[in-house]
Amino acid sequence: MSKKKKSKSLWIWPGAGPAPTTETSIKSQSFSILSYLIYIVREAVQNTTDAWNFLFFGKSEKELEQSPAEIFFDFDEVKKPSEPWFSGLSEARRELNKQNIEGYDGKINYKKISFLKIVDENTGGIQGDLNKRESDWWNFVLNWGKSNKRKAKSSTSGSKGIGRIAFTLSSDCGAVFVLSKRNQNETILSGLANLTSTTVGKEYKAPSAIFAEEEKGDVWKLHDLGKSFLNDFKIQELKGKKDTGTALVIPYPKKELINDK
């Protein structure tokens, strides 16, 4: 009788290797509710503006008026997830809790997912070569604390990645998913989660996890799960053939962010 094959984790908690590690320096307790909202909205709008300006740089005023960028904010829930969206990350958080590391004792129902989605449309998505670490895509997904703004006249610039930290700090599991639809045939998906570096077995782990399939040099091979993610997280804005843009999904947003009126 053949044994049932164990499904592969969607999140990877990599080893830190010999490089120095840096934990998230800004703790969630230092943010007021207003600060969360200001950073989330400001960073999201700035990212949308930069992407749209780059896509339409040099176009006429008439062309700009005919192709406006739009940005949407919404809270919702995934009723029946089609994928184990937190496999690998949930185990990492349980390990940290087992080691009595502060901040990982909160119980999260990984089968009933609440989320805040931030979607921009008609921006071309986050561009960049998936095989180059310093491309726009990997600068956004991996290089936190470093500005991902293009060195171009179309960029509005901004602080050195400080605003982006608010995305993960706004999540009870310290995570954010990043989906970008760049054209009809290319929808890419990844994510980052804050953890705490510690030794597990004989390996010293990094202070973050990545939503990816496997290591690929200094970047990652991504899961081909864009269609499932669009459906589960109800990202209707990017389902059309000609739609382009980026969706940031903050899972389990902190209750202080949700208006229960």
Side-chain angles (χ1 to χ4, degrees):
M1 182 181 293
S2 61
K3 294 183 178 179
K4 186 177 180 180
K5 187 177 180 181
K6 186 178 180 181
S7 59
K8 193 173 183 180
S9 294
L10 297 185
W11 287 84
I12 296 174
W13 189 14
T21 60
T22 302
E23 311 290 336
T24 302
S25 58
I26 303 176
K27 300 300 181 182
S28 60
Q29 291 84 352
S30 67
F31 277 81
S32 67
I33 297 172
L34 181 60
S35 294
Y36 276 119
L37 294 172
I38 288 173
Y39 275 115
I40 288 172
V41 173
R42 185 174 68 182
E43 186 69 14
V45 170
Q46 183 171 287
N47 288 335
T48 298
T49 302
D50 285 344
W52 184 78
N53 282 341
F54 187 85
L55 183 66
F56 289 96
F57 184 64
K59 301 291 184 181
S60 68
E61 186 173 338
K62 183 178 180 180
E63 288 175 300
L64 296 178
E65 290 177 352
Q66 292 175 341
S67 303
E70 295 185 88
I71 186 166
F72 308 87
F73 296 80
D74 195 18
F75 291 94
D76 212 327
E77 291 185 350
V78 177
K79 302 298 183 182
K80 294 182 178 179
S82 63
E83 301 288 342
W85 294 112
F86 300 94
S87 61
L89 178 58
S90 58
E91 290 84 352
R93 290 181 63 86
R94 279 199 294 270
E95 173 63 31
L96 290 166
N97 182 42
K98 189 171 72 173
Q99 294 190 21
N100 294 317
I101 295 176
E102 184 182 359
Y104 299 92
D105 54 349
K107 292 184 178 180
I108 297 174
N109 182 355
Y110 291 103
K111 293 183 179 180
K112 185 178 180 181
I113 308 167
S114 61
F115 63 91
L116 165 60
K117 69 173 181 179
I118 305 167
V119 186
D120 66 37
E121 187 179 3
N122 195 34
T123 63
I126 303 173
Q127 295 296 308
D129 190 336
L130 296 182
N131 294 311
K132 293 183 179 179
R133 176 60 186 259
E134 291 198 323
S135 69
D136 282 1
W137 170 257
W138 289 117
N139 269 340
F140 188 91
V141 176
L142 292 180
N143 298 338
W144 293 61
K146 176 180 179 180
S147 176
N148 66 307
K149 310 304 176 190
R150 293 185 179 92
K151 294 178 181 179
K153 292 181 181 179
S154 60
S155 175
T156 59
S157 191
S159 56
K160 295 284 186 180
I162 293 174
R164 274 188 294 158
I165 296 173
F167 295 140
T168 54
L169 291 181
S170 298
S171 164
D172 276 340
C173 65
V176 62
F177 290 98
V178 184
L179 177 142
S180 207
K181 186 178 179 187
R182 311 204 290 192
N183 56 56
Q184 181 178 340
N185 300 311
E186 188 182 27
T187 300
I188 52 180
L189 173 66
S190 191
L192 186 81
N194 296 333
L195 294 172
T196 301
S197 51
T198 189
T199 299
V200 179
K202 294 182 179 180
E203 184 177 38
Y204 190 70
K205 294 288 189 177
S208 58
I210 181 79
F211 187 84
E213 186 172 329
E214 60 185 20
E215 290 185 38
K216 187 181 178 183
D218 57 1
V219 294
W220 296 83
K221 179 181 177 183
L222 301 178
H223 298 294
D224 185 18
L225 293 172
K227 185 176 180 180
S228 298
F229 192 86
L230 285 170
N231 288 329
D232 278 6
F233 290 89
K234 307 175 187 179
I235 305 172
Q236 308 297 331
E237 299 85 356
L238 299 180
K239 285 189 174 182
K241 287 185 177 180
K242 294 183 179 180
D243 294 334
T244 65
T246 296
L248 301 176
V249 172
I250 300 172
Y252 307 102
K254 293 186 179 297
K255 63 182 180 180
E256 293 87 353
L257 293 176
I258 302 172
N259 188 341
D260 290 324
K261 289 184 179 179

